[in-house]
Amino acid sequence: MKYSFCPKCGDKLKSVNHENKTRLQCSACGFIFYQNAKPTASVLIENDKGEILLTRRAIEPLKGYWDTAGGFCEEDEHPEDAARREIKEELGVDVELTGLVGIFMDYYGDGGDWTINIHYSGRIKGGDIKPADDIDGYEWFPLDSLPEVAFESGQSALDTLKKMRAK
Ligand SMILES: [Zn+2]
């Protein structure tokens, strides 16, 4: 059980059966603490040669692995806006989204939160690439020789894009 205390009143949470699901409920105020996957937005950035830009993670989890560029959505943020913002923060460039590649379930690190990973395709429309601190490198890879990436959802997104572009 990842959470022990009620976020509303601070009393103890207990596991209860609610709508045929095990959920956390507060013993004092009755608040049901629904657990939802966290949404992320990523962009598979393509260039004119049909190559994909991947970044190398400088932070845990999975530090040192290649990754698709993107990150977590803010509470009130449309995933398209989150995708453009994350690319600007991570790489310093403005990106134009060109399509939706797909939506993939995953989780963030060992024992981490479930995530809903929304992957767009996109192109750089302005600026020079200047990687931020949470990235220790980037590289353009041809679609047919991609390295292993950090998250299964990223892998699925790349596989899907490959199929889309093969048509
Ligand atoms: Zn409570």
Side-chain angles (χ1 to χ4, degrees), residues 6-13 26-31:
C6 175
K8 286 188 104 172
C9 78
D11 215 305
K12 271 208 171 120
L13 293 169
C26 177
S27 332
C29 76
F31 174 73

Side-chain angles (χ1 to χ4, degrees), residues 2-72:
K2 276 198 302 193
Y3 297 96
S4 307
F5 299 102
C6 175
K8 286 188 104 172
C9 78
D11 215 305
K12 271 208 171 120
L13 293 169
K14 60 175 193 284
S15 285
V16 295
N17 188 299
H18 178 252
E19 294 165 345
N20 293 318
K21 286 266 190 188
T22 302
R23 301 198 194 278
L24 295 174
Q25 185 171 29
C26 177
S27 332
C29 76
F31 174 73
I32 293 172
F33 196 7
Y34 290 97
Q35 303 297 304
N36 305 107
K38 291 192 187 314
T40 78
S42 301
V43 188
L44 306 180
I45 302 172
E46 298 175 282
N47 65 14
D48 290 338
K49 290 185 242 170
E51 295 168 332
I52 305 294
L53 189 146
L54 296 178
T55 58
R56 203 168 41 227
R57 296 177 64 79
I59 53 164
E60 297 294 353
L62 298 163
K63 185 177 168 180
Y65 276 81
W66 290 104
D67 197 2
T68 55
F72 287 98

